[in-house]
């Protein structure tokens, strides 16, 4: 029974180690995938409550950003041609920006999201290392 427990513990440790290595090696692919999916979500944005539009609104509201690289990314979308910028791009809470670029945030969301992820990687690595060391005891 003790050998079986040790075997499972070793297996879990190896899976964690492989996941950490894969995450580190493929971090650029993860960035590209996020950027491509965010661009696709912008193109399909419709403000009717689907999960992609909700995610775009949540990111833009929380990080005070607009678009992928900047607010001009919205100009290529069908939503912009119909209604202008979404309210989640507003600098102030109660505004209706329409097509007024002065009322929206200028910075893009991709850079802000990547900055937050990279700044938190030390915490994630520290917790992972702590868990791995705890398993070794």
């Amino acid at each position: 029974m003790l050998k079986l427990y040790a075997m499972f513990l070793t297996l879990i440790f190896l899976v964690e180690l492989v996941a950490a290595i894969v995450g580190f090696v493929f971090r650029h692919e993860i960035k590209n995938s996020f950027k491509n999916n965010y661009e696709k979500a912008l193109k399909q944005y419709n403000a009717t409550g689907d999960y992609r539009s909700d995610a775009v609104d949540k990111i833009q509201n929380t990080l005070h950003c607009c678009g992928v690289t900047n607010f001009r990314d919205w100009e290529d979308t069908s939503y912009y041609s119909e209604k202008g910028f979404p309210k989640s791009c507003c600098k102030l809470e109660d505004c209706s920006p329409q097509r007024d670029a002065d009322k929206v945030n200028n910075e893009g969301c991709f850079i802000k999201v990547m900055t937050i992820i990279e700044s938190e990687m030390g915490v994630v690595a520290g917790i992972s290392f702590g868990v791995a060391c705890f398993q070794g005891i």
Side-chain angles (χ1 to χ4, degrees), residues 11-40:
L11 181 67
I12 291 171
F13 176 75
L14 290 174
V15 168
E16 289 173 351
L17 185 64
V18 168
I21 291 170
V22 167
F24 180 75
V25 170
F26 293 110
R27 67 186 181 279
H28 298 293
E29 283 79 4
I30 293 169
K31 284 181 183 180
N32 291 336
S33 176
F34 174 77
K35 187 173 185 178
N36 292 337
N37 285 322
Y38 197 73
E39 287 170 347
K40 186 187 295 183

Side-chain angles (χ1 to χ4, degrees), residues 9-72:
L9 199 58
T10 303
L11 181 67
I12 291 171
F13 176 75
L14 290 174
V15 168
E16 289 173 351
L17 185 64
V18 168
I21 291 170
V22 167
F24 180 75
V25 170
F26 293 110
R27 67 186 181 279
H28 298 293
E29 283 79 4
I30 293 169
K31 284 181 183 180
N32 291 336
S33 176
F34 174 77
K35 187 173 185 178
N36 292 337
N37 285 322
Y38 197 73
E39 287 170 347
K40 186 187 295 183
L42 238 61
K43 298 248 187 260
Q44 297 174 352
Y45 183 87
N46 59 20
T48 57
D50 71 273
Y51 71 97
R52 284 185 176 174
S53 298
D54 287 343
V56 169
D57 285 336
K58 183 75 172 172
I59 289 171
Q60 291 185 157
N61 277 326
T62 304
L63 300 179
H64 305 290
C65 57
C66 187
V68 180
T69 54
N70 60 36
F71 68 95
R72 286 192 171 81

Side-chain angles (χ1 to χ4, degrees), residues 98-118:
Q98 301 287 330
R99 288 174 175 77
D100 188 1
D102 294 331
K103 292 183 179 179
V104 297
N105 294 304
N106 296 329
E107 285 186 84
C109 296
F110 176 71
I111 293 169
K112 285 194 167 192
V113 169
M114 287 302 121
T115 301
I116 290 171
I117 289 174
E118 288 170 1

